[in-house]
Amino acid sequence: MVRKSLTRIVIIGAGFGGIQTALHLKNVDAQIIVIDRSNHHLFQPLLYQVATAGLSPGDIAIPIRRILRAQKNTEVIMAEVSGIDKQTKEIMTDSGAIPYDYLIIATGAVNSYFGNDGWAEYAPGLKTIEDARLIRGKILSAFELAEIEQDVEKKKSLLSFVIIGGGPTGVEMAGSIAELSHYVLRDEFRHIDPREARIILIEAGTRILANFPEDLSKNATQELQALGVEILTGIPVANIDSTGVRLGNELIASHTIIWAAGVQASPAASWLGAEHDRSGRVKVGADLILPGFENIFVIGDAAFSIGDDGKPLPGLSPVAMQQGRYVAKLLKRKLTGESKFKPFRYLDKGSMATIGRSRAVAVFKGLRLTGFVAWLIWLFVHIFYLIGFRNRFIVMFEWAYAYITYQRGVRIISSKKEEG
């Protein structure tokens, strides 16, 4: 146990930003405490692979304690945060109050249904391992139930998969479900042809991948359509219930609906009583400090931070990671008595999204790539950022196996709950 007299730096959240902050405070003469309601760090960009039976949960998750095991100045507390008292400098949790001298909030984001929270029951989002397992169970169960269903209309509903939201998560989910039905499952059923499954991607905006250049968005559209995905744009969802998705007067009957349309920040703003944007992101200064409180930082998806172009920084893992490293560096200087710091500057290294086997789009400093080359870059980047050699080795092996054989080995329905 570290000495109680040391400065206490508490990090809430062990996502990309929180973990980077903790790792870069390794040799600081301070007591570092990491709080998270889960015991693992999750590589969220690959959650869709778990949801579509491409990877196991353990391939993209690693215990927080294992990541930080070599840091003698760091301890991990598994607890649920319920509030923050800025005056007494205490964090309220279900395990009691935890005092702090410096606080870093890196609690990420949750699904947003734009005021229609009742939709969550029928259209789960993809933020946690539990979400991925639930969606995987619903997808696999849909084929199993369709195999024995005699009613034609019910069979069509079971074999209709609707993904709402045309950002990277929605695009990746649609492409992966299409490959699952067209290649992986095609010879395994006797009374249905999985290739007849209907995969529908709905985007309220004018095009999918709206944050990518228009030509890459067009390429992604063509690649998805080549996989048999139907893309509906410019049509907002009117309602979601047990029967399916309603677009205006049209009902798309579906047993499996997946939400990938929006997120909102964690409750950090309400914990702090702080000013925030419409998505609940806490407004911070150029140094990521909460105005009026020099000892509180907010980073990642929980923060509303302005970039050099005058626009809010996007909710991407590279932003959170760079912010985490910045805050760690700033804290080191604060502890040595420095008082002037350069503002945070985000270095945009590009964006990418995979569409399926050998299909992806990517943009790096104006260079636009598609197809197999973009997919290889996407593959390398994602494996590189996985924490732990075991995770990297297993993911690389399983992807290589799936690429060669078109098989996915994690097609397990573990409970009735997963049947939806």
Side-chain angles (χ1 to χ4, degrees), residues 138-139 141-149 151-161 197-198 253-256:
K138 287 176 72 69
I139 292 171
S141 294
F143 289 102
E144 296 293 342
L145 294 170
E147 173 78 348
I148 58 175
E149 180 58 61
D151 185 279
V152 175
E153 292 305 314
K154 288 183 180 179
K155 191 186 293 282
K156 286 182 180 179
S157 174
L158 286 165
L159 293 177
S160 294
F161 301 89
R198 187 183 180 197
S254 174
H255 174 82
T256 307

Side-chain angles (χ1 to χ4, degrees), residues 57-73:
D59 296 338
I60 64 167
I62 184 170
I64 301 166
R65 295 183 185 280
R66 178 166 180 78
I67 298 172
L68 302 173
R69 68 191 183 281
Q71 298 189 197
K72 301 303 181 184
N73 67 342

Side-chain angles (χ1 to χ4, degrees), residues 35-306:
I35 305 172
D36 198 286
R37 61 185 177 185
S38 301
N39 77 328
H40 57 271
H41 168 75
L42 178 64
F43 193 79
Q44 282 194 346
L46 291 181
L47 261 181
Y48 84 95
Q49 287 272 343
V50 175
T52 54
L55 294 171
S56 295
D59 296 338
I60 64 167
I62 184 170
I64 301 166
R65 295 183 185 280
R66 178 166 180 78
I67 298 172
L68 302 173
R69 68 191 183 281
Q71 298 189 197
K72 301 303 181 184
N73 67 342
T74 305
E75 61 182 278
V76 177
I77 297 175
M78 182 176 169
E80 184 87 32
V81 174
S82 58
I84 296 169
D85 190 324
K86 296 177 292 187
Q87 306 308 318
T88 62
K89 298 181 182 179
E90 288 184 319
I91 302 157
M92 309 307 165
T93 79
D94 57 0
S95 298
I98 299 173
Y100 66 86
D101 293 308
Y102 289 98
L103 174 62
I104 300 98
I105 299 175
T107 45
V110 297
N111 294 305
S112 172
Y113 291 85
F114 308 114
N116 301 288
D117 293 343
W119 293 356
E121 179 182 353
Y122 311 106
L126 192 58
K127 283 293 178 185
T128 67
I129 288 291
E130 290 75 19
D131 293 337
R133 282 173 170 159
L134 173 64
I135 292 171
R136 181 185 67 189
K138 287 176 72 69
I139 292 171
L140 297 176
S141 294
F143 289 102
E144 296 293 342
L145 294 170
E147 173 78 348
I148 58 175
E149 180 58 61
Q150 300 301 312
D151 185 279
V152 175
E153 292 305 314
K154 288 183 180 179
K155 191 186 293 282
K156 286 182 180 179
S157 174
L158 286 165
L159 293 177
S160 294
F161 301 89
V162 179
I163 302 96
I164 302 171
T169 299
V171 165
E172 290 168 348
M173 279 295 302
S176 194
I177 295 173
E179 289 194 331
L180 180 70
S181 61
H182 291 176
Y183 301 108
V184 180
L185 302 178
R186 64 182 180 183
D187 298 321
E188 299 191 0
F189 292 83
R190 300 296 174 259
H191 302 292
I192 62 170
D193 183 350
R195 291 173 295 184
E196 294 179 358
R198 187 183 180 197
I199 297 108
I200 306 142
L201 179 62
I202 300 172
E203 167 56 45
T206 57
R207 61 185 176 94
I208 63 172
L209 297 180
N211 292 329
F212 283 68
E214 191 167 352
D215 59 329
L216 294 186
S217 173
K218 183 177 180 181
N219 177 269
T221 297
Q222 293 169 343
E223 293 284 13
L224 284 172
Q225 290 172 337
L227 285 170
V229 176
E230 299 175 39
I231 300 175
L232 305 178
T233 58
I235 309 173
V237 171
N239 191 42
I240 302 172
D241 58 27
S242 59
T243 62
V245 179
R246 188 167 293 279
L247 305 175
N249 294 322
E250 178 190 1
L251 174 67
I252 301 176
S254 174
H255 174 82
T256 307
I257 307 164
I258 301 163
W259 185 263
V263 296
Q264 63 186 20
S266 67
S270 86
W271 295 342
L272 295 167
E275 186 180 0
H276 55 85
D277 72 348
R278 289 184 298 175
S279 297
R281 296 181 298 175
V282 177
K283 294 186 176 182
V284 294
D287 49 10
L288 307 179
I289 292 175
L290 179 68
F293 292 87
E294 292 296 315
N295 63 333
I296 299 177
F297 301 82
V298 187
I299 65 175
D301 290 350
F304 180 86
S305 180
I306 302 297

Side-chain angles (χ1 to χ4, degrees), residues 211-216 348-351 362-370:
N211 292 329
F212 283 68
E214 191 167 352
D215 59 329
L216 294 186
D348 187 355
K349 297 180 180 180
S351 301
V363 56
F364 301 98
K365 297 292 184 182
L367 179 62
R368 302 173 186 182
L369 301 170
T370 61

